[in-house]
Amino acid sequence: MLILASQSPRRRELLKYITEEFKAVAADADETLPDGVTPQEAVLYLSKIKAAPFRSDTDTVIGADTVVAVDGAILGKPQDARDAAQMLRLLSGREHSVFTGVTLLKGEKELSFFTETKVTFFPLSDAEIEKYIATGEPMDKAGAYGIQGYGSLLVEKIDGDYFNVVGLPISKLNQHLSTF
């Protein structure tokens, strides 16, 4: 049995492309990052701590975490509308990276990997930013946007795996699951 260690409805939906046979669970994990970690290190660390409580000898556990990074700085989920607006202004008219880390655990076996996708936003006016924030969509998303929803209107182009930006690089995950 596969266990998805995530509360994300987007990850549950994406994993169904690989299999309908899984259980989604989540534990409260302390997601405080050690000082000075890179975005790549952050997603690997967080995916592992999300998966670890469910380690099993019989089940394969999948932990995942996604961050948005610009100029090497990690943008988490916004604390409020003002924070969301600040993040969106920072991303406006620029390229940034979205990293998703995935950890697979089964018994003593462990495999972690990350995927990076480059995303470029159109230049955004304050009115466009306020209109997007008013949808409520940015409030629970890393980097204050969801590419699978209204946030798609902000995106000029992507270079890499679209599903990675949504929250789970399913094609790469599928490749790793087939050999894990």
Side-chain angles (χ1 to χ4, degrees):
M1 171 69 95
L2 275 180
I3 296 176
L4 176 63
S6 176
Q7 293 178 333
S8 166
R10 291 164 298 281
R11 288 194 183 107
R12 287 195 304 266
E13 184 180 312
L14 292 174
L15 189 56
K16 287 180 183 178
Y17 288 129
I18 296 173
T19 182
E20 295 277 340
E21 304 292 319
F22 69 92
K23 181 170 82 172
V25 295
D28 286 331
D30 178 5
E31 296 188 31
T32 306
L33 291 170
D35 288 339
V37 298
T38 67
Q40 298 90 323
E41 293 166 336
V43 294
L44 292 174
Y45 172 79
L46 293 169
S47 69
K48 187 173 181 177
I49 66 167
K50 288 179 177 183
F54 305 103
R55 186 186 288 267
S56 161
D57 288 333
T58 57
D59 299 320
T60 299
V61 181
I62 303 167
D65 193 77
T66 302
V67 301
V68 172
V70 62
D71 300 330
I74 296 171
L75 303 182
K77 295 177 183 177
Q79 295 178 0
D80 54 30
R82 185 176 173 171
D83 193 28
Q86 186 176 4
M87 288 184 195
L88 293 167
R89 280 188 201 96
L90 182 62
L91 299 175
S92 175
R94 301 183 61 191
E95 180 183 83
H96 61 276
S97 292
V98 178
F99 295 94
T100 299
V102 178
T103 295
L104 302 176
L105 303 175
K106 183 174 184 178
E108 295 303 311
K109 287 176 65 175
E110 184 174 312
L111 171 70
S112 293
F113 65 91
F114 71 87
T115 300
E116 177 182 9
T117 302
K118 301 279 191 178
V119 179
T120 304
F121 272 20
F122 287 107
L124 305 174
S125 68
D126 285 344
E128 289 169 312
I129 289 171
E130 294 308 316
K131 181 179 177 183
Y132 179 56
I133 291 170
T135 69
E137 187 176 89
M139 302 318 295
D140 69 338
K141 311 275 189 306
Y145 77 97
I147 197 167
Q148 72 281 3
Y150 296 110
S152 62
L153 303 175
L154 312 177
V155 176
E156 181 178 0
K157 66 178 180 175
I158 68 168
D159 180 13
D161 184 345
Y162 166 80
F163 294 109
N164 181 58
V165 183
V166 177
L168 195 63
I170 56 170
S171 56
K172 192 169 182 179
L173 173 58
N174 188 53
Q175 294 296 312
H176 284 298
L177 282 171
S178 68
T179 60
F180 186 69

